[in-house]
Each structure stands twice: as structure tokens, then as C-alpha cells.
């Protein structure tokens, strides 16, 4: 089944070339089913790239999805044109009276800053508070996972001694395998990370409402979930394209002010000239499909006006 997107969104051409079933707005108006309504706050600097990455993963289910994109009005996005934002994005004020089946908030390259020093922190926390009564289930990625853990549960982040970048082996929590978000998972799987900060397993274990569902010996806690399925926190980047870490590394190499770290377990034999070892794509599709199916589609009320605080 398709994902519904605006007729002229740049991602549409790429997805069609990949034979991914998308539905333009014109055709969607003829459908007689209620699509899942998702809100995506895209705070990654490369917005068009991130749009394509997320839409690719969200389209891999038999569900029709309708996406509203928003950006932070209090932040000046320098890597995307104002025309693109005006054409395809809204602000929180535009959607605050709506209700949604699901919310996704992306990562952002601001993890070295204290949360309160991020220029859009107040606007973000307004959105997070609003989500309690206007969103059925939320999915937070990388920095957004850290920010949401801090806002909802008081979990602090800490600065790493060097950038954590690469594709790391993870293992599921065998005692939590009954959680539907893990359905179909291998006990061991790979996922990309790219960040300078982390959260403490010990801090999360003190919170009764949270379960640690997967982690890595090298990369730490990976999937954290509220017991009622209303919030999922993923500390890595399952949505990354095969060459995303490669582009980030080469960008850092060209910047004399950054100590560049070669992504671990990424290039064959750790040689930048060798092929990239893509080990995480099946996991990426599965985690998004499980979230959409088991925690959004199967549980959300048909009438979104019936949403209650979660």
C-alpha cells in the first residue's frame, strides 16, 4: 500500500525510481479509507535527504499514510531553501489543533549543546508537551531520543570522549522479546550511530515506565520504550542511507576544526577506498514497520478526537 505525499515533493521522483509505491494527493482523494496521519518534525540540516530516507522506510507496509512535515519556526534552517519550507512544511502553530496517529522527531547536530542552549528548545518542549494529548505514539531518533528522555523522564545526556560513528552490533533484551516492536528481530543485529553524546543505562533502569529493549557493548543503549507503547526512543540512525556515514566522514576530514573519526565496522577492512558494508537495512525497515503496525495502526482510535493523554 502507498504512502501519500505532495505531488511535487522532491523525494517522489527518487522513490518512484526505486519502485516504491507512493500515492500523490490527486489519487489519494479517491480513496475511501482513513489513512494513518503522521506528523514528522524534521530538524536534520539536510532536510530533503532525511525526507527521502524516512518516506522510504515508512512506505514498506500495507498501510496508507498521510504525512505532515513541520520545522522549528524559531530556528533558521540554512541548508534548505525557504521555497522548499514554504511549499512542504508547516510550523507548530499551523498544526497545533490537529491530532495524529504518530509523531516522528529526527536527530539534529546539536548534541554538544546543553538542551536549554538549543535555540528552539522552548518550541520543541511545547511540541513534546502537546504530544501527550494530540499524538497516539511517538518515535524519537538520535538527539531527539535524548531530548525526549530528558524532557519526559529527566534522563541526562553526557559527552563522549570522541564521536561515536559507525555500524555497531546490538543485541535484543531476551526478557523483553514479547514487546511487539521487536517482532521478527534477530537476537543480534546492526545499526548505525553518529553522535557525540550518550545516555546512561543505569539512569534509564531507575525509571519504572521504561524498558531497555536493545543495546550494544560499544554503542550503549539503543531502543528504549515506554511500557504502554506511547513513546519509542532510538539512539542511532536506522534511517541512514548506505553512504550517509561516508559523506559525514569526508565532510569532517575537510574541516580542520573537527577531529574526524573513521566510522567503525563500515568500510571493508577499515579501508576508506573499499566498499561500504551495509548491514542494517533489514532492521531499519522492520523497526518502522513494527511501530506503524502494532503501536499506531492496530491501537489508535479511528476517530482521533477520542485521543486521551498518554
Amino acid at each position: 500500500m502507498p504512502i501519500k505525499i505532495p505531488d511535487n515533493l522532491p523525494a517522489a521522483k527518487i522513490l518512484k525510481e526505486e519502485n516504491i509505491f507512493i500515492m500523490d494527493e490527486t489519487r489519494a482523494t479517491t480513496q475511501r479509507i482513513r489513512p494513518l496521519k503522521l506528523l514528522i518534525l524534521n530538524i536534520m540540516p539536510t532536510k530533503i535527504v532525511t525526507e527521502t530516507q524516512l518516506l522510504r522506510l515508512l512506505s514498506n507496509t500495507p498501510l496508507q499514510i498521510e504525512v505532515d512535515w513541520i520545522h522549528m519556526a524559531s530556528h533558521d534552517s540554512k541548508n534548505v531553501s525557504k521555497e522548499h519550507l514554504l511549499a512542504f512544511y508547516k510550523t507548530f502553530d499551523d498544526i497545533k489543533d490537529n491530532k495524529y496517529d504518530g509523531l516522528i522527531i529526527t536527530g539534529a547536530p546539536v548534541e554538544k549543546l546543553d538542551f536549554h542552549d538549543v535555540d528552539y528548545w522552548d518550541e520543541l518542549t511545547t511540541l513534546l508537551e502537546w504530544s501527550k494529548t494530540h499524538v497516539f505514539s511517538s518515535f524519537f531518533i538520535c538527539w531527539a531520543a535524548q531530548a525526549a528522555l530528558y524532557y519526559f523522564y529527566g534522563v541526562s545526556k553526557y559527552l563522549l570522549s570522541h564521536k561515536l560513528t559507525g555500524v555497531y552490533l546490538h543485541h535484543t533484551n531476551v526478557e523483553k522479546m514479547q514487546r511487539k516492536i521487536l517482532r521478527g528481530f534477530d537476537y543480534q543485529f546492526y545499526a548505525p550511530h553518529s553522535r557525540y553524546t550518550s545516555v546512561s543505562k543505569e539512569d534509564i533502569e531507575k525509571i519504572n515506565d521504561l524498558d531497555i529493549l536493545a543495546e550494544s557493548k560499544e554503542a550503549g543503549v539503543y531502543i528504549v520504550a515506554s511500557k504502554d507503547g506511547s513513546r519509542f526512543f532510538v539512539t542511532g540512525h536506522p534511517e541512514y542511507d548506505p553512504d550517509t556515514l561516508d559523506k559525514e566522514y569526508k565532510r569532517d576530514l575537510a574541516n580542520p576544526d573537527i577531529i574526524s573519526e573513521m566510522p567503525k565496522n563500515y568500510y571493508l577492512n577499515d579501508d576508506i577506498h573499499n566498499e561500504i558494508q551495509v548491514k542494517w537495512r533489514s532492521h531499519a525497515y522492520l523497526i518502522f514497520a513494527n511501530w506503524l503496525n502494532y503501536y499506531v495502526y492496530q491501537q489508535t482510535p479511528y476517530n482521533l478526537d477520542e485521543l486521551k493523554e498518554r
Side-chain angles (χ1 to χ4, degrees):
M1 289 293 288
I3 184 166
K4 175 180 173 284
I5 61 178
D7 295 358
N8 54 345
L9 187 73
K13 182 176 183 295
I14 298 171
L15 297 175
K16 286 179 180 177
E17 289 172 352
E18 295 177 10
N19 292 320
I20 289 175
F21 188 8
I22 61 174
M23 178 180 289
D24 59 36
E25 290 177 308
T26 304
R27 182 177 175 189
T29 57
T30 66
Q31 304 296 301
R32 287 178 169 260
I33 60 173
R34 180 177 85 76
L36 291 179
K37 294 182 65 66
L38 296 187
L39 179 67
I40 302 179
L41 170 58
N42 186 2
I43 44 180
M44 287 291 277
T46 53
K47 288 195 168 23
I48 294 175
V49 171
T50 303
E51 291 160 13
T52 306
Q53 291 171 345
L54 290 175
L55 291 174
R56 183 183 290 118
L57 296 173
L58 293 171
S59 68
N60 196 43
T61 72
L63 304 170
Q64 184 175 324
I65 300 168
E66 182 176 305
V67 176
D68 280 346
W69 298 90
I70 60 170
H71 68 101
M72 296 279 87
S74 51
H75 177 72
D76 183 18
S77 298
K78 297 181 175 64
N79 295 287
V80 65
S81 70
K82 287 182 171 55
E83 290 77 14
H84 185 82
L85 293 178
L86 287 171
F88 302 113
Y89 280 74
K90 302 176 182 178
T91 65
F92 174 70
D93 283 343
D94 295 326
I95 58 85
K96 64 184 179 182
D97 294 328
N98 299 345
K99 293 191 175 182
Y100 293 89
D101 299 291
L103 166 69
I104 296 173
I105 303 182
T106 71
V110 294
E111 67 263 35
K112 289 185 178 181
L113 295 174
D114 182 272
F115 289 125
H116 298 273
D117 290 336
V118 176
D119 61 3
Y120 49 81
W121 179 249
D122 289 344
E123 186 178 4
L124 177 63
T125 56
T126 298
L127 173 66
L128 292 175
E129 186 65 25
W130 166 90
S131 72
K132 292 179 180 179
T133 53
H134 289 72
V135 174
F136 191 75
S137 184
S138 300
F139 193 107
F140 305 103
I141 300 171
C142 198
W143 179 81
Q146 296 180 4
L149 282 168
Y150 174 74
Y151 179 76
F152 289 119
Y153 302 103
V155 176
S156 298
K157 63 182 173 71
Y158 61 91
L159 188 65
L160 298 170
S161 60
H162 59 277
K163 184 178 183 179
L164 181 76
T165 175
V167 181
Y168 297 90
L169 180 65
H170 298 69
H171 60 88
T172 53
N173 184 341
V174 177
E175 296 179 357
K176 302 296 181 181
M177 286 301 289
Q178 78 278 7
R179 295 294 300 264
K180 292 178 181 178
I181 193 72
L182 299 177
R183 188 161 291 181
F185 271 53
D186 293 321
Y187 282 15
Q188 294 83 30
F189 62 94
Y190 289 90
H193 289 261
S194 177
R195 50 188 167 85
Y196 289 93
T197 56
S198 191
V199 290
S200 166
K201 176 179 179 179
E202 291 71 25
D203 288 345
I204 295 171
E205 287 179 329
K206 295 175 184 177
I207 301 169
N208 291 330
D209 185 48
L210 297 177
D211 287 331
I212 296 174
L213 304 185
E215 57 189 301
S216 165
K217 289 182 179 179
E218 293 183 273
V221 172
Y222 179 58
I223 304 174
V224 179
S226 62
K227 284 187 165 59
D228 66 356
S230 63
R231 301 184 186 109
F232 292 87
F233 311 86
V234 178
T235 65
H237 280 286
E239 82 283 2
Y240 266 12
D241 289 326
D243 63 350
T244 303
L245 290 174
D246 177 66
K247 290 178 178 177
E248 290 184 357
Y249 179 47
K250 291 174 180 175
R251 177 201 64 200
D252 291 351
L253 282 174
N255 188 339
D257 297 326
I258 294 178
I259 299 175
S260 58
E261 297 280 346
M262 178 183 288
K264 290 187 176 181
N265 314 310
Y266 184 59
Y267 303 109
L268 182 63
N269 299 325
D270 289 329
D271 185 337
I272 190 174
H273 302 293
N274 284 346
E275 67 178 310
I276 293 169
Q277 301 178 93
V278 183
K279 302 177 180 180
W280 67 91
R281 300 303 287 163
S282 58
H283 152 68
Y285 280 105
L286 187 56
I287 191 171
F288 278 93
N290 282 354
W291 174 65
L292 283 174
N293 184 23
Y294 297 117
Y295 296 93
V296 182
Y297 171 68
Q298 292 195 26
Q299 296 189 40
T300 190
Y302 184 85
N303 183 355
L304 286 173
D305 289 333
E306 297 176 3
L307 281 182
K308 299 178 181 178
E309 181 168 346
R310 286 162 67 80

